């Protein structure tokens, strides 16, 4: 029997399933510092690598972006504000 003829197992392997990333806690946000890299910002915004670089290159990323050499740096404070992570959680 070929591998293509086999049906996928009902339960996925633990090695192939990615664990969900933890939410951005206040401590984790504070650890970012003043700026962060483009991929961290993209992850927080829920966009992919290609889209993030395209938006940064065109100057249309919804937060301030600075190009430093070959890298992009993103200001963390506007990113946190955009995502509404600066507000106290409701009880």
């Amino acid at each position: 029997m070929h591998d293509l003829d086999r049906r996928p197992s009902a339960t996925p392997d633990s090695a192939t399933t990615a664990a969900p990333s933890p939410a951005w806690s206040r401590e984790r946000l504070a650890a970012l510092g003043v700026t962060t890299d483009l991929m961290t910002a993209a992850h927080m915004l829920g966009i992919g690598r290609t889209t993030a670089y395209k938006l940064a290159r065109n100057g249309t990323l919804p937060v301030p972006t600075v190009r430093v050499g070959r890298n992009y740096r993103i200001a963390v404070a506007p990113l946190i504000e955009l995502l509404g992570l600066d507000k106290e959680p409701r009880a």
Side-chain angles (χ1 to χ4, degrees):
M1 178 182 283
H2 296 289
D3 288 330
L4 296 175
D5 294 334
R6 293 184 188 162
R7 290 189 172 173
S9 62
T11 57
D13 295 338
S14 61
T16 60
T17 57
S21 61
W24 286 90
S25 65
R26 292 196 182 280
E27 294 79 23
R28 194 169 170 202
L29 290 171
L32 288 175
V34 177
T35 64
T36 190
D37 61 295
L38 184 59
M39 290 296 82
T40 301
H43 179 73
M44 291 175 73
L45 292 169
I47 59 176
R49 179 184 184 277
T50 303
T51 302
Y53 275 99
K54 181 177 165 185
L55 292 173
R57 191 171 39 252
N58 294 336
T60 55
L61 199 68
V63 291
T65 305
V66 176
R67 185 161 184 173
V68 180
R70 296 176 63 191
N71 300 311
Y72 289 97
R73 299 301 295 174
I74 312 301
V76 172
L79 182 62
I80 291 171
E81 185 178 337
L82 173 72
L83 296 173
L85 299 174
D86 58 340
K87 298 175 177 66
E88 289 291 324
R90 294 181 185 179

